[in-house]
């Protein structure tokens, strides 16, 4: 990551869709943006049909007018290439670029993002629009960054059409070289699946029963690469025609999105940007927000990142779209900044009056500016202005959590020992326990350099390469502490089981050997001799050098160890072979933290989140009170939000936040 747009302080704004409004509204918009302290808006994301109403005929003057107006009001523009959603004429002329599902059904236009990632026609038309946009606007004074497409892969990550099939075969040829290597990797000796010619290979379309798992895994890898390739094609146009202006595409690092390998995408961005939406049904949504923000920071290589979208209040696409409570808009926003965001942007500026998203909140609500949302929008603008000096500061943590998208895809394939194995379950459980304890975490790729960390968490790393296993073992050998959870180290990069007992990649490191998995029935719960309970998963495990920390007292495996600890080299390797309840997970994490010498950022009460960002001249303490009561948190310095000095402690009302420039005196 090399570039940050020319924007002062913490950038503030959102998606702006002026084409949904008459020009008289544009002037009001610009004035209101000024009133709110907005510094940047994303324009043109869904404008293709109006920018190019007929093939090759462009109408860009209206957009130029909008950009001029914004510039006159001091608002910068993150300009979209406009390619997110093709216009009706394109699929009308080229129905072959509409995406095809695994069951062979072709999807229709009428929503958005109805395009096949492998379509050469789409690629040609999209890069042509990107070229026209760059030629017209590269030197516009409002332009500070480019926004390629929108949430690539949000609705069209996988296409199973014949064009995609041919592209998949090309990808496989590059990966395997010859068919023999592919047959080995896919284990095609099984069920008479041996391929004799490349033309026989298809995407994993719906078959009478389970398709080949490695074929599915490779198709997931291919699909992420294919969209990344599309991003690169548009980005390269912009780099050529608009040099020096940073390019990004907005990621979806969120619990329910799993199709893009963002560790591969991150380094291709000039700056990483992300969209995050709270799951309104999750009472611990703020912990999921922190997880997602930290993972985005990891994907950004630790650099500041750009929050491109979140919602001012309700969204429109969940079963029940809960409005945000008073104060939540600001608290959610500041929480992203606390975890490394240097921009706070929203979907969208003005709530639509028509279309599928008309009940999605906007910074300017349907009810206008005499509203809770608008008052909070103005207040947030003031807060972000006041804390502007934190921009550019960075976080560091003593704990690393390893994340890997191939492991996620492979872990969640079909025909596994139980349907209950969900990749994110244990990462969230461990992260949640650390969040409760106030301990900061870096989310890093499984192959990251671990040498600077006191504690490394390896949850559900089902697919583990030899290189990853060696890196973790060497980290422990040199004095590191590692925790591995069940359903890790089971298969290699081809989804082939590592033989000799589970978890093959980590047996020696952990000093254990599992003979057989014993998944549990849906409502079954087992007890451990340290008082913990567990569900979903147990293993017939034998100690081969490790000590038992806790064993089952009931269930199918009475007396068998469930938690183990192994001295390995100068370090320690822990294994958790079952799904512990939340209290037991917290107890385990606090024991591990103590042993590894990891401390909370600041010792405080449950529900109060404290993070620290380090700048060149000062460090900044973010304090977020997620509780319903008044809290007191030890701190020293100046609260940038209120300007007040903080001596010894800060007192925060329920739901309030503070950002303290640290230092005595
Ligand atoms: C995504 C999209 C936006 C909008 C919002 C609604 O993040 O990028 O265009 O649809 O969701 O929440």
């Amino acid at each position: 990551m090399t570039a940050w747009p020319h924007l002062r302080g913490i950038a503030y704004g959102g998606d702006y869709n002026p084409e949904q409004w008459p020009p008289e509204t544009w002037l009001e918009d610009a004035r209101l943006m000024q009133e709110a302290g907005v510094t940047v808006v994303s324009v043109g994301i869904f404008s293709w049909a109006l920018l190019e109403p007929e093939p090759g005929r462009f109408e860009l003057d209206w957009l130029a007018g909008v950009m001029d107006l914004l510039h006159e009001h001091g608002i910068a523009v993150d300009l979209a290439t406009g390619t997110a959603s093709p216009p009706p004429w394109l699929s009308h002329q080229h129905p072959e670029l509409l995406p095809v599902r695994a069951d062979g059904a072709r999807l229709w236009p009428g929503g958005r993002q109805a395009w096949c990632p492998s379509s050469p026609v789409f690629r040609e038309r999209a890069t042509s629009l990107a070229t026209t946009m760059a030629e017209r606007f590269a030197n516009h004074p409002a332009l500070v960054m480019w926004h390629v497409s929108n949430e690539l892969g949000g609705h069209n990550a996988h296409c199973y059409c014949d064009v995609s099939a041919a592209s998949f075969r090309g990808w496989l040829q590059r990966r395997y070289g010859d068919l023999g290597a592919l047959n080995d990797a896919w284990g095609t000796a099984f069920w008479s699946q041996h391929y004799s010619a490349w033309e026989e290979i298809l995407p994993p379309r719906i078959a009478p029963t389970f398709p080949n798992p490695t074929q599915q895994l490779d198709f997931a890898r291919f699909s992420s690469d294919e969209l990344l390739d599309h991003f690169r094609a548009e980005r390269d146009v912009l780099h050529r025609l608009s040099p020096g202006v940073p390019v990004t595409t907005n990621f979806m690092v969120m619990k329910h999105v799993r199709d893009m390998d963002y560790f591969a995408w991150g380094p291709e961005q000039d700056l990483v940007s992300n969209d995050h939406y709270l799951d309104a049904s999750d009472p611990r949504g703020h912990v999921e927000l922190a997880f997602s923000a930290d993972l985005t920071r990891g994907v950004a290589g630790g650099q500041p990142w750009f929050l491109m979208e979140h919602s001012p209040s309700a969204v429109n696409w969940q079963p029940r779209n809960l409005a945000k409570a008073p104060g939540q808009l600001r608290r959610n926003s500041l929480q992203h900044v606390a975890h490394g965001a240097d921009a706070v942007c929203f979907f969208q500026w003005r709530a639509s009056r028509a279309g599928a998203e008309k009940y999605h909140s906007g910074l300017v609500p349907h009810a206008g500016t005499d509203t809770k949302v608008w008052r909070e929008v103005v207040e947030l603008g003031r807060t972000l202005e006041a804390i502007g000096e934190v921009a550019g500061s960075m976080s560091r943590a003593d704990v690393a959590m390893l994340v890997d998208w191939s492991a996620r895809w492979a872990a969640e394939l079909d025909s596994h020992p139980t349907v209950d194995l969900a990749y994110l379950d244990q990462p969230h459980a461990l992260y949640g326990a650390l969040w409760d304890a106030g301990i900061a975490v870096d989310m890093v790729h499984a192959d990251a350099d671990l040498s600077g960390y006191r504690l490394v968490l390896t949850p559900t790393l089902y697919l583990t390469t030899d290189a990853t296993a060696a890196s973790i073992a060497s980290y422990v050998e040199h004095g590191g502490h590692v925790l591995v959870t069940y359903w890790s180290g089971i298969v290699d990069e081809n989804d082939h089981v590592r033989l000799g007992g589970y978890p093959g990649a980590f047996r020696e490191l952990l000093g254990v050997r599992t003979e057989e998995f014993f998944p549990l029935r849906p409502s079954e719960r087992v007890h451990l001799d340290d008082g913990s309970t567990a569900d979903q998963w147990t293993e017939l495990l034998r100690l081969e050098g490790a000590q038992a920390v806790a064993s089952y007292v009931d269930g199918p495996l009475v007396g068998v160890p469930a938690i183990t600890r192994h001295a390995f080299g100068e370090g320690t390797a822990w294994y958790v072979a079952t799904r512990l309840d939340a209290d037991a997970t917290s107890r385990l994490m606090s024991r591990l933290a103590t042993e590894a010498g990891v401390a909370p950022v600041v010792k405080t009460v449950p529900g109060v989140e404290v993070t620290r960002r380090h700048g060149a001249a000062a460090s900044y303490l973010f304090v977020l009170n997620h509780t319903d009561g008044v809290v007191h948190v030890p701190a020293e310095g100046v609260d940038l939000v209120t300007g007040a000095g903080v001596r010894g402690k800060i007192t925060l009302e329920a739901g309030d936040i503070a950002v303290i420039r640290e230092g005595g005196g």
Side-chain angles (χ1 to χ4, degrees):
M1 263 70 65
T2 50
W4 190 260
H6 293 292
L7 289 165
R8 67 186 150 77
I10 303 291
Y12 180 36
D15 282 17
Y16 180 39
N17 297 305
E19 63 270 44
Q20 296 178 14
W21 301 97
E24 308 82 78
T25 312
W26 302 349
L27 185 60
E28 186 192 331
D29 284 331
R31 288 194 183 129
L32 287 174
M33 286 174 196
Q34 278 186 327
E35 182 183 325
V38 161
T39 60
V40 62
V41 290
S42 302
V43 185
I45 294 173
F46 296 106
S47 307
W48 191 344
L50 295 177
L51 294 169
E52 190 182 8
E54 289 173 57
R57 184 171 69 77
F58 296 95
E59 283 188 6
L60 308 183
D61 290 348
W62 67 270
L63 180 57
V66 170
M67 291 189 48
D68 293 347
L69 181 74
L70 291 168
H71 183 62
E72 283 157 23
H73 288 78
I75 317 287
V77 171
D78 164 42
L79 185 58
T81 53
T83 58
S85 201
W89 59 255
L90 185 49
S91 52
H92 184 67
Q93 283 189 352
H94 292 282
E96 77 280 6
L97 63 70
L98 292 166
V100 171
R101 290 195 317 212
D103 64 0
R106 201 175 274 283
L107 299 176
W108 294 93
R112 66 174 171 184
Q113 231 177 43
W115 53 277
C116 159
S118 301
S119 162
V121 177
F122 182 82
R123 175 74 61 90
E124 200 269 316
R125 301 308 312 205
T127 47
S128 145
L129 179 59
T131 303
T132 302
M133 294 288 279
E135 283 170 350
R136 174 72 185 257
F137 295 112
N139 297 315
H140 195 284
L143 177 73
V144 289
M145 62 195 277
W146 286 103
H147 183 295
V148 167
S149 192
N150 189 64
E151 292 194 341
L152 282 163
H155 310 298
N156 66 342
H158 303 121
C159 176
Y160 297 80
C161 75
D162 290 342
V163 173
S164 301
S167 193
F168 182 39
R169 286 192 283 271
W171 184 94
L172 291 167
Q173 280 167 339
R174 291 191 293 281
R175 181 174 175 89
Y176 294 109
D178 69 89
L179 210 48
L182 177 137
N183 276 308
D184 285 347
W186 285 19
T188 57
F190 179 80
W191 278 356
S192 184
Q193 292 174 349
H194 184 89
Y195 291 100
S196 322
W198 287 101
E199 297 70 48
E200 295 162 6
I201 300 172
L202 295 169
R205 294 174 178 158
I206 301 279
T209 184
F210 310 114
N212 181 302
T214 316
Q215 177 190 15
Q216 295 188 63
L217 175 60
D218 274 348
F219 191 66
R221 291 167 167 150
F222 156 78
S223 299
S224 173
D225 284 357
E226 197 75 337
L227 280 162
L228 177 55
D229 202 54
H230 181 87
F231 166 77
R232 281 196 209 100
E234 289 199 31
R235 179 202 62 191
D236 292 351
V237 167
L238 302 169
H239 279 171
R240 183 162 50 81
L241 297 173
S242 183
V245 180
V247 181
T248 190
T249 188
N250 45 340
F251 292 172
M252 296 165 281
V253 179
M254 271 178 275
K255 206 171 184 172
H256 63 279
V257 181
R258 43 163 265 154
D259 294 328
M260 273 62 58
D261 175 358
Y262 286 130
F263 275 116
W265 286 57
E268 301 280 348
Q269 313 292 311
D270 293 331
L271 70 149
V272 163
S273 60
N274 194 50
D275 298 350
H276 182 268
Y277 290 94
L278 285 171
D279 173 355
S281 69
D282 181 358
R284 278 173 58 93
H286 53 287
V287 183
E288 190 276 329
L289 186 160
F291 179 100
S292 159
D294 277 341
L295 181 51
T296 305
R297 186 165 57 79
V299 159
Q303 299 292 314
W305 52 277
F306 200 103
L307 178 64
M308 189 65 85
E309 294 180 26
H310 67 154
S311 67
S313 190
V315 300
N316 64 296
W317 44 267
Q318 294 176 9
R320 287 162 205 87
N321 297 298
L322 273 52
K324 289 192 178 177
Q328 200 185 346
L329 178 156
R330 187 170 80 142
R331 196 166 60 256
N332 291 163
S333 300
L334 268 285
Q335 201 183 352
H336 284 288
V337 181
H339 290 269
D342 272 4
V344 174
C345 292
F346 291 83
F347 182 86
Q348 63 175 327
W349 166 251
R350 188 182 276 278
S352 301
R353 47 189 306 223
E357 296 184 322
K358 58 182 170 296
Y359 298 116
H360 195 293
S361 56
L363 295 175
V364 183
H366 291 154
T369 52
D370 185 8
T371 49
K372 152 193 157 271
V373 166
W374 179 254
R375 280 185 283 277
E376 295 197 15
V377 165
V378 173
E379 185 195 20
L380 176 61
R382 289 205 198 100
T383 302
L384 295 177
E385 171 87 45
I387 67 163
E389 68 178 75
V390 308
S393 59
M394 318 258 277
S395 318
R396 2 185 155 94
D398 290 330
V399 181
M401 181 179 290
L402 307 188
V403 177
D404 183 79
W405 261 269
S406 273
R408 179 172 187 182
W409 295 326
E412 294 181 345
L413 288 170
D414 51 57
S415 34
H416 280 171
T418 165
V419 295
D420 293 328
L421 291 162
Y423 173 78
L424 283 182
D425 185 80
Q426 287 306 293
H428 275 284
L430 303 185
Y431 185 93
L434 289 173
W435 190 92
D436 288 337
I439 292 172
V441 185
D442 281 349
M443 316 284 267
V444 299
H445 183 260
D447 289 335
D449 174 9
L450 305 176
S451 54
Y453 293 104
R454 291 174 183 271
L455 174 63
V456 170
L457 307 175
T458 307
T460 321
L461 200 64
Y462 168 67
L463 180 156
T464 307
T465 65
D466 292 349
T468 303
S471 144
I472 297 171
S474 139
Y475 161 76
V476 179
E477 226 173 337
H478 293 94
H481 294 75
V482 75
L483 170 75
V484 177
T485 71
Y486 62 94
W487 206 233
S488 292
I490 308 293
V491 299
D492 65 13
E493 64 267 37
N494 295 323
D495 195 36
H496 293 199
V497 173
R498 293 176 175 278
L499 302 179
Y502 317 115
F506 298 125
R507 246 182 359 243
E508 203 188 323
L509 169 68
L510 299 172
V512 302
R513 189 163 73 89
T514 290
E515 288 177 37
E516 198 176 355
F517 301 133
F518 275 70
L520 302 177
R521 295 182 180 85
S523 56
E524 204 173 348
R525 184 163 284 277
V526 292
H527 295 83
L528 275 55
D529 56 12
D530 66 352
S532 311
T533 63
D535 63 3
Q536 291 191 357
W537 186 264
T538 61
E539 298 180 3
L540 177 52
L541 171 150
R542 285 208 225 149
L543 301 176
E544 295 200 341
Q547 297 167 321
V549 174
S551 304
Y552 303 105
V553 294
D554 56 15
L557 297 173
V558 174
V560 171
I563 305 174
T564 64
R565 182 179 184 281
H566 186 221
F568 184 82
E570 291 164 36
T572 312
W574 291 71
Y575 186 50
V576 179
T578 188
R579 195 173 92 119
L580 294 174
D581 66 62
D583 286 347
T585 305
S586 290
R587 282 197 300 277
L588 179 66
M589 292 316 293
S590 80
R591 179 165 170 194
L592 269 157
T594 308
E595 277 196 20
V598 175
V601 177
V602 163
K603 217 168 159 34
T604 172
V605 294
V608 177
E609 182 175 21
V610 184
T611 72
R612 182 176 280 119
R613 291 181 58 165
H614 302 270
S619 62
Y620 302 96
L621 201 68
F622 286 74
V623 188
L624 300 120
N625 180 5
H626 298 282
T627 76
D628 294 332
V630 178
V631 296
H632 309 283
V633 177
E636 195 74 43
V638 177
D639 181 355
L640 297 177
V641 180
T642 61
V646 179
R647 303 223 158 58
K649 66 168 191 199
I650 184 152
T651 300
L652 284 185
E653 298 296 320
D656 203 2
I657 55 99
V659 181
I660 299 154
R661 185 204 297 126
E662 293 187 294

